[in-house]
Amino acid sequence: MQEAEFSPMPSGPALTEPQKALLKLGLKRDIDLALHLPLRYEDETRITRLADAREGQTVQIEAVVTDNHIAFRPRRQLVVTVDDGSDACVLRFFSFYPSQQKALAVGARIRARGELKGGLLGWQMVHPVCRSAAGELPQALTPVYPTAAGLPQSYLRKAILAALGRADLSDTLPPPALGPLGLQPEWDLGRTLRFLHQPGPDTALATLEDRSHPAWQRLKAEELLAQQLSQIEAKRERDALRAPALAARRGGLHEQLLAALPFALTAAQRRVVEEIAADLGRAVPMHRLLQGDVGSGKTVVAALAAAVAIDAGWQCALMAPTEILAEQHFRKLIGWLEPLLAPRGLRVAWLTGSQRKKERAQMLAQVASGEAALVVGTHAVIQEQVQFQRLALAIIDEQHRFGVAQRLALRSKMAEAGHEPHLLMMSATPIPRTLAMSYYADLDVSTIDQLPPGRTPVVTKLISDSRRDEVVERIRAQLAQGRQVYWVCPLIEESEALDLTNATATHQALSQALPGVLVGLLHSRMPSPEKKAVMALFEGGQMAVLVSTTVIEVGVDVPNASLMVIEHAERFGLSQLHQLRGRVGRGAAASACVLLYSPGDNGRLGETARSRLKAMVETADGFEIARRDLEIRGPGEFLGARQSGAPLLRFADLVADAALLERVRELAPVMLDRHAELARKHVARWLGGRQDYLKA
Ligand code: ADP
Ligand code: MG
């Protein structure tokens, strides 16, 4: 066999089908192939006698073909009878090539592997894997790899074997690290990988399946270490950059803002403001995530940070993922800051996608001249034509809703000015601790863990969709008290059109059921001015009920709203539900959230849907919700911006391997200091070119 045939990185232009598939799977380098581990193993190392076999067992038999014919009833099939000396067995193939039929000619001695079925007609196997009985039995379990269309197992196996032979598998873990990580020195990386690709026949498969085998421990530790190292590196790289040091002046803008606020900050808000101010005061770019439950008051914290930057003579950019969110989230903030800016001859500029050309040009000029001290908008804020005069601070609301590309664009935009601005990201979806320690290890995190005083807890009720009428009664009761109501319709991902019909129908039904009440409708396809008009009516209190299609439209702050109805709640994610619920309970009135659910066709809710709804009823604590969400969905969904293209953990599990993660975390900085070269090699080996995503 020529090695070149399986070379994973061919130089010529013409890629074969399997080569293309390899690239698609991200298997470019030898080490990528070496780290592509089997899903499971098949035991072809032994032969089972039919007389000793049990029904339902997956076995390999060695037998001689005694009959071979094509049957046409009940459908066309190749029927091959074999005998292993202890018993006979019928092999059935519903699709087959002539060559297969020939290989199974009467008299041929073959090995067949498959699930044994018993029955009146004796033993049977359907579509067993057959090969000639020539040659020795394999010495190792046969790996079954995750693969893709156009990439047969046999090709992948050979490619991986060849790569294992070529790849540099020398250890990057310094020997003193092994003990603290609970690793066994004899399981070095080379042995670990060779073993996992071809475990010997005596291996206890259970220890591979539950990943408790020392080889698995080794791999998990290596993977977690690569992740930690690359993030510490990213952080250190950033620490070497220069940002404007923004000192918070006595009597400065932020103190004026504090004095003008209609409320006092909570202790938690004061704490995070201090953390942020300390960062801003350093000449190193801040990279901080501000997390706090819905309604915990992140906006005012952002305003205070902006005030510090503006007071120091710099510009601040504020971004939200959608226009409505930008408007809703920042209107208050602008209301607070604008009166303080005006006397200084400064203003607030808006940049959004739907802006008219003329208005936009005017705004761009203000941004470029520095007259606009605060620039607010959607990702239009970071588009190419936008030239800041002196950008010092960028604040991103709902950061997880931005994509990787947008965040990378932001970083490069910010770097244009010759210095790095500070970056403050805000999120209402708290990151569970294990995630914060792993995927976000390069971020500093500030947490508002306290709600402003006077909030009443929201009562959450699960109600079957068949009891809609009762919900309408509830709405009437709230309206009678002068309260307002949200009704959120589900996102039907396959079809925006369906979404709309659904919401429109609900809107009509509610309008009819509530005569004399202004019921509004908000959906994503409405033109911007219309959306704004609807929002204004609801915020002004003239509109009592707001029916809305998508979650995004509901980033509103209407303290008088006391009831949130979520239709088809079983279709929403847990943190989405939690965020939606956070739209009520903002005033002093007792508030409720009704989760309307429709059981599936079988009359039952799915397992995950049930655990989500259960979590909603049981807890209102954003951190607990996040923890359960992580349990239900795994980390992928959480990462939002980091999700696509980011190297997710393949081997380690954040929940099961939390203890290992802790130990790796302690070790990583030490390794970077004492064994910089090994650390660099380790990261390159594990992450290849992908570590950039982690910096986004
Ligand atoms: P979120 O963290 O979800 O962005 P907001 O910043 O929108 O929350 O704050 C929710 C509401 O609470 C707003 O009406 C805001 O003005 C108000 N608020 C914020 N901080 C306080 C506080 N310390 N005391 C009273 N109300 C506050
Ligand atoms: Mg907010």
Side-chain angles (χ1 to χ4, degrees):
M1 176 97 15
Q2 279 188 341
E3 215 175 55
E5 190 181 340
F6 294 108
S7 170
M9 194 56 131
S11 47
L15 291 185
T16 64
E17 183 92 349
Q19 282 169 337
K20 280 189 219 155
L22 282 179
L23 289 181
K24 228 190 216 158
L25 288 176
L27 305 178
K28 300 194 182 105
R29 307 167 302 162
D30 286 334
I31 188 68
D32 298 330
L33 282 159
L35 291 173
H36 191 66
L37 289 191
L39 283 173
R40 58 188 170 83
Y41 303 90
E42 281 170 359
D43 189 353
E44 294 175 335
T45 64
R46 57 194 113 217
I47 303 288
T48 304
R49 267 166 30 108
L50 283 166
D52 302 334
R54 278 178 290 113
E55 152 107 59
Q57 215 181 348
T58 296
V59 296
Q60 176 170 246
I61 58 171
E62 184 167 318
V64 174
V65 178
T66 57
D67 183 55
N68 172 327
H69 70 274
I70 291 175
F72 292 91
R73 252 160 251 221
R75 48 194 268 230
R76 186 171 181 273
Q77 54 185 283
L78 173 64
V79 183
V80 176
T81 310
V82 298
D83 194 310
D84 77 345
S86 76
D87 206 345
C89 181
V90 171
L91 316 178
R92 290 184 195 279
F93 303 85
F94 294 103
S95 64
F96 54 93
Y97 295 106
S99 59
Q100 262 174 311
Q101 190 185 358
K102 235 169 91 192
L104 296 171
V106 172
R109 188 167 187 83
I110 59 150
R111 291 187 193 130
R113 191 175 180 286
E115 190 185 335
L116 267 183
K117 298 214 171 77
L120 285 178
L121 304 172
W123 292 122
Q124 291 198 36
M125 281 188 194
V126 176
H127 278 264
V129 179
C130 294
R131 64 186 88 222
S132 144
E136 308 232 319
L137 285 174
Q139 296 296 303
L141 301 180
T142 308
V144 180
Y145 292 104
T147 187
L151 184 59
Q153 282 293 331
S154 55
Y155 185 99
L156 192 50
R157 275 179 203 148
K158 283 179 196 157
I160 288 174
L161 259 190
L164 265 178
R166 282 190 307 254
D168 167 17
L169 300 179
S170 59
D171 267 5
T172 42
L173 292 197
L178 302 179
L181 291 178
L183 301 179
Q184 301 178 9
E186 61 273 27
W187 286 97
D188 57 27
L189 184 66
R191 176 170 176 207
T192 292
L193 288 177
R194 280 188 289 272
F195 168 79
L196 288 175
H197 285 290
Q198 302 209 291
D202 302 327
T203 309
L205 279 178
T207 62
L208 296 186
E209 266 152 31
D210 71 8
R211 305 193 166 182
S212 64
H213 192 282
W216 266 106
Q217 291 304 312
R218 171 77 186 210
L219 266 194
K220 294 197 254 193
E222 291 232 352
E223 179 179 48
L224 289 170
L225 183 63
Q227 191 191 41
Q228 291 293 317
L229 286 174
S230 74
Q231 295 198 32
I232 301 174
E233 263 176 357
K235 190 163 163 52
R236 290 189 180 178
E237 273 172 32
R238 230 177 12 246
D239 286 350
L241 300 171
R242 290 287 138 243
L246 310 168
R249 263 193 324 130
R250 263 282 146 94
L253 202 54
H254 79 286
E255 287 195 356
Q256 295 170 24
L257 173 56
L258 273 178
L261 285 176
F263 50 74
L265 296 188
T266 62
Q269 283 170 319
R270 279 202 303 275
R271 176 173 42 75
V272 302
V273 166
E274 266 164 36
E275 287 165 0
I276 293 167
D279 279 2
L280 293 178
R282 298 170 61 218
V284 167
M286 168 170 77
H287 199 67
R288 188 170 282 278
L289 176 69
L290 171 60
Q291 56 178 14
D293 217 337
V294 204
S296 62
K298 295 184 289 296
T299 318
V300 66
V301 174
L304 287 163
V308 170
I310 295 168
D311 192 57
W314 294 78
Q315 287 172 300
C316 171
L318 270 170
M319 284 198 301
T322 69
E323 221 166 308
I324 286 243
L325 267 191
E327 165 126 24
Q328 297 302 331
H329 284 199
F330 300 136
R331 182 173 319 145
K332 253 201 178 130
L333 180 152
I334 293 165
W336 289 327
L337 280 175
E338 220 161 21
L340 303 175
L341 295 182
R344 303 178 177 214
L346 297 174
R347 39 170 85 239
V348 178
W350 271 95
L351 286 174
T352 64
S354 68
Q355 235 159 7
R356 272 172 225 236
K357 252 197 171 148
K358 199 167 144 211
E359 189 189 349
R360 186 173 166 79
Q362 197 185 353
M363 295 285 175
L364 285 175
Q366 289 174 8
V367 176
S369 72
E371 184 187 355
L374 187 60
V375 185
V376 180
T378 57
H379 58 268
V381 168
I382 48 165
Q383 269 156 11
E384 249 165 69
Q385 317 88 307
V386 187
Q387 296 288 338
F388 288 91
Q389 203 231 358
R390 282 160 73 74
L391 179 64
L393 171 65
I395 302 176
I396 308 182
D397 204 2
E398 306 282 333
Q399 59 93 20
H400 57 284
R401 291 238 188 104
F402 283 93
V404 171
Q406 284 167 337
R407 290 171 45 136
L408 285 173
L410 171 72
R411 289 203 68 77
S412 62
K413 178 97 225 154
M414 298 198 314
E416 268 171 23
H419 63 261
E420 287 272 322
H422 300 281
L423 183 58
L424 178 64
M425 293 167 272
M426 307 201 284
S427 173
T429 309
I431 306 175
R433 210 176 99 76
T434 43
L435 269 190
M437 284 185 344
S438 52
Y439 290 99
Y440 291 91
D442 63 325
L443 273 191
D444 297 309
V445 179
S446 289
T447 305
I448 308 183
D449 51 6
Q450 177 185 23
L451 293 180
R455 302 271 166 89
T456 45
V458 179
V459 177
T460 302
K461 284 250 161 26
L462 265 182
I463 298 184
S464 160
D465 196 51
S466 57
R467 289 162 55 200
R468 253 171 192 256
D469 292 349
E470 289 172 35
V471 179
V472 176
E473 274 318 306
R474 269 175 181 267
I475 295 179
R476 278 204 191 97
Q478 290 304 308
L479 298 183
Q481 293 176 37
R483 302 286 170 200
Q484 288 165 277
V485 176
Y486 294 103
W487 185 299
V488 177
C489 296
L491 250 173
I492 302 172
E493 281 183 5
E494 315 86 72
S495 156
E496 231 181 293
L498 253 183
D499 247 15
L500 197 55
T501 348
N502 185 1
T504 316
T506 300
H507 175 242
Q508 266 172 7
L510 281 178
S511 302
Q512 266 165 22
L514 304 166
V517 174
L518 185 54
V519 180
L521 175 63
L522 195 64
H523 59 78
S524 49
R525 296 231 212 121
M526 268 158 64
S528 219
E530 219 172 291
K531 282 187 197 167
K532 282 185 191 156
V534 171
M535 283 315 309
L537 282 172
F538 191 66
E539 284 177 347
Q542 299 97 320
M543 182 180 283
V545 180
L546 179 62
V547 178
S548 161
T549 47
T550 57
V551 188
I552 299 172
E553 325 291 0
V554 204
V556 249
D557 186 25
V558 179
N560 189 45
S562 59
L563 177 60
M564 162 73 65
V565 181
I566 305 176
E567 193 174 328
H568 279 297
E570 75 280 359
R571 295 192 192 158
F572 289 85
L574 186 49
S575 34
Q576 264 181 323
L577 288 173
H578 178 64
Q579 294 228 17
L580 282 173
R581 178 169 60 184
R583 300 294 148 206
V584 292
R586 299 196 151 213
S591 299
C593 174
V594 169
L595 303 174
L596 270 180
Y597 67 92
S598 315
D601 295 337
N602 58 2
R604 307 191 44 190
L605 272 180
E607 190 68 40
T608 24
R610 209 155 12 150
S611 47
R612 284 199 295 254
L613 297 180
K614 187 162 167 277
M616 281 295 289
V617 174
E618 285 174 359
T619 178
D621 173 356
F623 278 89
E624 175 61 15
I625 295 264
R627 200 188 57 72
R628 294 206 196 183
D629 207 13
L630 178 64
E631 250 173 42
I632 298 172
R633 294 192 296 177
E637 304 275 337
F638 257 92
L639 298 172
R642 295 197 170 195
Q643 181 176 4
S644 62
L648 292 181
L649 291 173
R650 289 184 285 164
F651 305 130
D653 178 290
L654 288 181
V655 179
D657 300 316
L660 183 59
L661 173 60
E662 293 271 8
R663 279 176 265 152
V664 168
R665 235 163 71 92
E666 281 167 27
L667 181 83
V670 183
M671 175 163 170
L672 210 51
D673 289 336
R674 300 210 188 132
H675 306 275
E677 187 47 32
L678 284 179
R680 192 200 52 73
K681 189 172 165 189
H682 187 82
V683 172
R685 169 182 283 168
W686 275 88
L687 299 177
R690 293 173 299 168
Q691 57 268 51
D692 263 359
Y693 283 106
L694 286 172
K695 298 178 190 164

